[in-house]
Amino acid sequence: TWTVCDGSNNCTTCDQEIFLRRAMTADITLPPNFDNIDQPAFSCSDPTICLDPTLACTGVPTINGIPADGGSGFCELNVVSSDDTLFVDAGSFTILRTWTIVNWCNSNDILQEVQVIKVEDDEAPTITCPANFTAGTSANACEAIVILPAAQVSDNCSPLDQITVETFLGNQPINGNGGSLLLPLGMHTITYVATDDSGNSSSCDVQVTVVDDIIPVAVCNAK
């Protein structure tokens, strides 16, 4: 009831009726999927990543923007969630978050939906090659057995699945970080390739120059 009075104390009243309607599951707005369709997926290296269902970044069911749990005025609704995690590899996985909303005032009014939350490793490893270097030939051959130093490799989320060393000579790659190669005279480009468990790859090159640094041996005829 609203009452309005003027300075002479003449008053009048009017009534306003406010109807309260019970919330229904049909009023629910569900949080979006983070699946690169509804919303972008999360990066596994993002320091702000939050996967707890109580946090705002992945969202909760709402009614008119208000969280639809019993603590927000919708006491007739009960909201619960459960997670199932599907691992693709160590750095990429998907959370299937099942939201169940039950209307305690109507046993037939139940809503259950799955929210898809993807976490992806889409960054390649960081790789730094050794410095360019020069190697000398063997004593009796115009080629050198070159010992390749290891590259410095790191990754954001996934274990390093493979590090190989490749040459332009058509040799089979060396499965390992460094190793030995037989190289002829000249300048050679050696490529290091690092691949993480999610299939992301990066590479770098080192120049190896093979020179003939063996001093000739003079052989004189005996008199």
Side-chain angles (χ1 to χ4, degrees), residues 4 15 21 36 59 101 106 127 129 142 161 172 191 201 203 209 221:
V4 180
D15 291 334
R21 183 177 65 84
N36 290 323
I101 300 97
N106 183 349
I127 182 169
C129 271
C142 292
D161 182 62
Q172 291 294 321
T191 301
S201 295
S203 64
T209 303
N221 294 326

mmCIF file of all heavy atoms in Angstrom, residues 4 15 21 36 59 101 106 127 129 142 161 172 191 201 203 209 221:
data_model
loop_
_atom_site.group_PDB
_atom_site.id
_atom_site.type_symbol
_atom_site.label_atom_id
_atom_site.label_comp_id
_atom_site.label_asym_id
_atom_site.label_seq_id
_atom_site.Cartn_x
_atom_site.Cartn_y
_atom_site.Cartn_z
ATOM 1 N N VAL A 4 0.361 8.779 -0.033
ATOM 2 C CA VAL A 4 0.952 10.059 -0.411
ATOM 3 C C VAL A 4 0.191 11.170 0.317
ATOM 4 O O VAL A 4 -1.042 11.212 0.285
ATOM 5 C CB VAL A 4 0.865 10.290 -1.940
ATOM 6 C CG1 VAL A 4 1.486 11.643 -2.300
ATOM 7 C CG2 VAL A 4 1.558 9.170 -2.680
ATOM 8 N N ASP A 15 -3.125 0.611 -3.795
ATOM 9 C CA ASP A 15 -2.554 -0.717 -3.556
ATOM 10 C C ASP A 15 -1.843 -1.223 -4.805
ATOM 11 O O ASP A 15 -2.338 -1.066 -5.933
ATOM 12 C CB ASP A 15 -3.649 -1.711 -3.157
ATOM 13 C CG ASP A 15 -4.225 -1.400 -1.781
ATOM 14 O OD1 ASP A 15 -3.499 -0.785 -0.965
ATOM 15 O OD2 ASP A 15 -5.389 -1.764 -1.550
ATOM 16 N N ARG A 21 5.867 -15.841 -8.732
ATOM 17 C CA ARG A 21 5.685 -17.086 -9.472
ATOM 18 C C ARG A 21 6.850 -18.025 -9.159
ATOM 19 O O ARG A 21 8.007 -17.618 -9.119
ATOM 20 C CB ARG A 21 5.675 -16.796 -10.994
ATOM 21 C CG ARG A 21 5.412 -18.045 -11.848
ATOM 22 C CD ARG A 21 5.341 -17.675 -13.326
ATOM 23 N NE ARG A 21 6.602 -17.176 -13.842
ATOM 24 C CZ ARG A 21 7.600 -17.973 -14.276
ATOM 25 N NH1 ARG A 21 7.465 -19.288 -14.241
ATOM 26 N NH2 ARG A 21 8.716 -17.452 -14.747
ATOM 27 N N ASN A 36 35.094 -24.397 -28.747
ATOM 28 C CA ASN A 36 35.464 -23.734 -30.008
ATOM 29 C C ASN A 36 34.276 -23.579 -30.960
ATOM 30 O O ASN A 36 34.467 -23.280 -32.136
ATOM 31 C CB ASN A 36 36.616 -24.450 -30.721
ATOM 32 C CG ASN A 36 37.934 -24.298 -29.980
ATOM 33 O OD1 ASN A 36 38.212 -23.244 -29.415
ATOM 34 N ND2 ASN A 36 38.745 -25.350 -29.974
ATOM 35 N N GLY A 59 30.871 -20.699 -15.888
ATOM 36 C CA GLY A 59 29.448 -20.431 -15.793
ATOM 37 C C GLY A 59 28.662 -21.439 -14.977
ATOM 38 O O GLY A 59 29.098 -22.580 -14.763
ATOM 39 N N ILE A 101 19.101 -30.044 -12.599
ATOM 40 C CA ILE A 101 18.268 -29.087 -11.856
ATOM 41 C C ILE A 101 16.929 -29.766 -11.552
ATOM 42 O O ILE A 101 16.235 -30.223 -12.465
ATOM 43 C CB ILE A 101 18.040 -27.785 -12.648
ATOM 44 C CG1 ILE A 101 19.380 -27.093 -12.949
ATOM 45 C CG2 ILE A 101 17.144 -26.842 -11.875
ATOM 46 C CD1 ILE A 101 19.933 -27.399 -14.317
ATOM 47 N N ASN A 106 7.751 -29.796 -7.920
ATOM 48 C CA ASN A 106 7.130 -30.522 -9.039
ATOM 49 C C ASN A 106 8.079 -31.643 -9.442
ATOM 50 O O ASN A 106 9.092 -31.404 -10.092
ATOM 51 C CB ASN A 106 6.877 -29.577 -10.212
ATOM 52 C CG ASN A 106 6.163 -30.266 -11.365
ATOM 53 O OD1 ASN A 106 6.019 -31.496 -11.405
ATOM 54 N ND2 ASN A 106 5.707 -29.473 -12.334
ATOM 55 N N ILE A 127 62.380 -24.707 -28.662
ATOM 56 C CA ILE A 127 63.621 -25.426 -28.927
ATOM 57 C C ILE A 127 64.703 -24.422 -29.314
ATOM 58 O O ILE A 127 64.460 -23.500 -30.098
ATOM 59 C CB ILE A 127 63.416 -26.494 -30.032
ATOM 60 C CG1 ILE A 127 64.724 -27.268 -30.271
ATOM 61 C CG2 ILE A 127 62.890 -25.893 -31.312
ATOM 62 C CD1 ILE A 127 64.537 -28.499 -31.154
ATOM 63 N N CYS A 129 68.667 -24.444 -30.664
ATOM 64 C CA CYS A 129 69.725 -25.302 -31.188
ATOM 65 C C CYS A 129 71.085 -24.912 -30.610
ATOM 66 O O CYS A 129 71.290 -23.762 -30.173
ATOM 67 C CB CYS A 129 69.779 -25.187 -32.720
ATOM 68 S SG CYS A 129 68.695 -26.352 -33.572
ATOM 69 N N CYS A 142 88.060 -38.282 -46.088
ATOM 70 C CA CYS A 142 87.595 -36.912 -46.322
ATOM 71 C C CYS A 142 86.191 -36.729 -45.765
ATOM 72 O O CYS A 142 85.295 -36.190 -46.435
ATOM 73 C CB CYS A 142 87.638 -36.596 -47.818
ATOM 74 S SG CYS A 142 89.303 -36.517 -48.485
ATOM 75 N N ASP A 161 57.250 -35.895 -26.724
ATOM 76 C CA ASP A 161 57.080 -37.231 -27.267
ATOM 77 C C ASP A 161 58.291 -37.665 -28.081
ATOM 78 O O ASP A 161 58.689 -38.822 -28.052
ATOM 79 C CB ASP A 161 55.825 -37.271 -28.146
ATOM 80 C CG ASP A 161 55.551 -38.646 -28.715
ATOM 81 O OD1 ASP A 161 55.336 -39.559 -27.911
ATOM 82 O OD2 ASP A 161 55.568 -38.796 -29.945
ATOM 83 N N GLN A 172 68.401 -41.427 -42.371
ATOM 84 C CA GLN A 172 67.294 -41.598 -41.444
ATOM 85 C C GLN A 172 67.486 -40.647 -40.266
ATOM 86 O O GLN A 172 68.607 -40.452 -39.799
ATOM 87 C CB GLN A 172 67.235 -43.056 -40.948
ATOM 88 C CG GLN A 172 66.818 -44.061 -42.007
ATOM 89 C CD GLN A 172 65.393 -43.851 -42.459
ATOM 90 O OE1 GLN A 172 64.526 -43.540 -41.657
ATOM 91 N NE2 GLN A 172 65.148 -43.981 -43.749
ATOM 92 N N THR A 191 68.915 -30.104 -38.836
ATOM 93 C CA THR A 191 67.642 -29.636 -38.292
ATOM 94 C C THR A 191 67.232 -30.488 -37.097
ATOM 95 O O THR A 191 67.166 -31.719 -37.193
ATOM 96 C CB THR A 191 66.533 -29.692 -39.363
ATOM 97 O OG1 THR A 191 66.914 -28.879 -40.475
ATOM 98 C CG2 THR A 191 65.212 -29.172 -38.802
ATOM 99 N N SER A 201 54.764 -29.359 -33.124
ATOM 100 C CA SER A 201 56.188 -29.476 -33.437
ATOM 101 C C SER A 201 56.814 -28.106 -33.660
ATOM 102 O O SER A 201 56.152 -27.155 -34.099
ATOM 103 C CB SER A 201 56.405 -30.329 -34.701
ATOM 104 O OG SER A 201 55.998 -31.662 -34.492
ATOM 105 N N SER A 203 61.064 -26.501 -34.741
ATOM 106 C CA SER A 203 62.381 -26.922 -35.202
ATOM 107 C C SER A 203 63.349 -25.754 -35.187
ATOM 108 O O SER A 203 62.952 -24.581 -35.103
ATOM 109 C CB SER A 203 62.294 -27.519 -36.613
ATOM 110 O OG SER A 203 61.869 -26.527 -37.536
ATOM 111 N N THR A 209 80.163 -27.230 -40.344
ATOM 112 C CA THR A 209 81.129 -27.153 -41.438
ATOM 113 C C THR A 209 82.215 -28.185 -41.206
ATOM 114 O O THR A 209 82.860 -28.196 -40.146
ATOM 115 C CB THR A 209 81.752 -25.749 -41.523
ATOM 116 O OG1 THR A 209 80.707 -24.790 -41.688
ATOM 117 C CG2 THR A 209 82.703 -25.656 -42.714
ATOM 118 N N ASN A 221 111.676 -40.689 -50.583
ATOM 119 C CA ASN A 221 112.343 -41.923 -50.998
ATOM 120 C C ASN A 221 113.722 -42.014 -50.350
ATOM 121 O O ASN A 221 114.485 -41.045 -50.324
ATOM 122 C CB ASN A 221 112.509 -41.968 -52.521
ATOM 123 C CG ASN A 221 111.158 -42.056 -53.195
ATOM 124 O OD1 ASN A 221 110.230 -42.675 -52.672
ATOM 125 N ND2 ASN A 221 111.050 -41.450 -54.383
#
